[in-house]
Amino acid sequence: AQRVTQPEKLLSVFKGAPVELKCNYSYSGSPELFWYVQYSRQRLQLLLRHISRESIKGFTADLNKGETSFHLKKPFAQEEDSAMYYCALRSGSEKLVFGKGTKLTVNP
Amino acid sequence: NAGVTQTPKFQVLKTGQSMTLQCAQDMNHEYMSWYRQDPGMGLRLIHYSVGAGITDQGEVPNGYNVSRSTTEDFPLRLLSAAPSQTSVYFCASRLDSSTEAFFGQGTRLTVV
């Protein structure tokens, strides 16, 4: 069965420090992975997807099929990065399965 | 474009009451889904639809019904509300299986 695991519920870093939000998945097929972000009192929005291999707001994520991971990284965290981050897996053709989320707090 | 619109934004129900959460999108998306968001549980899929007239169950469908009579609308019905259904509900739509999901603003439901 498909599953997305985000092991950290909470992550706190200082401004300017590197940040890594972990995501591991289990899926027997060829995965398509996403990171969504939810800023305070706002709707979820797509941050990035592994297919596009782009960097959004300084964030990057690399799909590691050997480790079944899709960790989200940013070299220098900013206070405005404080938000809830969800890793998601497209399962088959219809379902989008989410992890439980990691709340990132960037302290000044 | 309005995107994905959910109504109401807030609702308080008594146990046993019924109600419908509305979701509409104006992007001509085929795929629509309902999720509930609970602390420590992330987003869990309730029901989804891959097109008008087609619906299927997600991870936590019990207590909820859906229908998809038009491409634009995907209402979620609670037939007899229970306190366990207190949650924030999000509707999402996608053009097709390979594109990003767009989310509504959410409906915060409290069942007392």
Side-chain angles (χ1 to χ4, degrees):
Chain A
Q2 57 276 2
R3 188 168 60 246
V4 177
T5 302
Q6 294 179 250
E8 303 139 328
K9 285 187 179 179
L10 304 171
L11 184 60
S12 184
V13 300
F14 286 102
K15 177 183 174 181
V19 63
E20 179 179 65
L21 291 88
K22 292 184 168 54
C23 172
N24 290 90
Y25 67 91
S26 62
Y27 181 53
S28 57
S30 181
E32 186 171 355
L33 288 140
F34 307 81
W35 276 99
Y36 281 81
V37 60
Q38 186 181 28
Y39 300 103
S40 180
R41 299 189 177 280
Q42 295 188 26
R43 67 185 73 198
L44 279 88
Q45 55 187 290
L46 180 68
L47 182 61
L48 53 81
R49 55 193 300 180
H50 89 271
I51 284 181
S52 58
R53 299 186 62 82
E54 57 192 344
S55 173
I56 303 294
K57 299 184 179 182
F59 285 97
T60 59
D62 289 319
L63 177 61
N64 186 322
K65 291 187 178 181
E67 296 182 358
T68 60
S69 68
F70 189 56
H71 303 327
L72 183 68
K73 300 177 185 179
K74 186 170 182 176
F76 308 103
Q78 303 299 315
E79 289 180 67
E80 56 265 30
D81 295 329
S82 295
M84 196 76 184
Y85 291 82
Y86 291 96
C87 184
L89 165 73
R90 184 165 71 87
S91 161
S93 61
E94 298 102 7
K95 297 181 184 177
L96 195 58
V97 178
F98 286 83
K100 294 185 178 182
T102 297
K103 183 175 182 180
L104 174 65
T105 301
V106 181
N107 300 301
Chain B
N1 283 346
V4 181
T5 303
Q6 289 183 237
T7 55
K9 289 185 179 179
F10 303 94
Q11 182 71 50
V12 178
L13 287 178
K14 293 182 178 179
T15 298
Q17 284 186 312
S18 63
M19 81 158 295
T20 299
L21 280 64
Q22 301 291 346
C23 175
Q25 52 90 10
D26 60 0
M27 298 174 283
N28 204 31
H29 285 176
E30 290 294 326
Y31 287 65
M32 296 186 75
S33 308
W34 276 103
Y35 294 87
R36 57 178 292 174
Q37 183 184 44
D38 301 291
M41 301 297 290
L43 281 90
R44 291 180 292 171
L45 182 64
I46 304 172
H47 285 286
Y48 64 99
S49 168
V50 299
I54 306 169
T55 64
D56 208 343
Q57 296 182 348
E59 181 185 355
V60 288
N62 292 341
Y64 307 94
N65 283 344
V66 292
S67 59
R68 186 89 181 274
S69 56
T70 67
T71 300
E72 296 78 18
D73 300 298
F74 191 44
L76 179 72
R77 297 186 190 84
L78 285 73
L79 297 179
S80 179
S84 61
Q85 294 178 305
T86 294
S87 186
V88 180
Y89 291 85
F90 285 98
C91 178
S93 74
R94 292 183 280 161
L95 178 62
D96 56 41
S97 63
S98 64
T99 55
E100 73 173 276
F102 291 85
F103 283 82
Q105 285 276 28
T107 295
R108 187 174 294 273
L109 176 68
T110 302
V111 183
V112 298

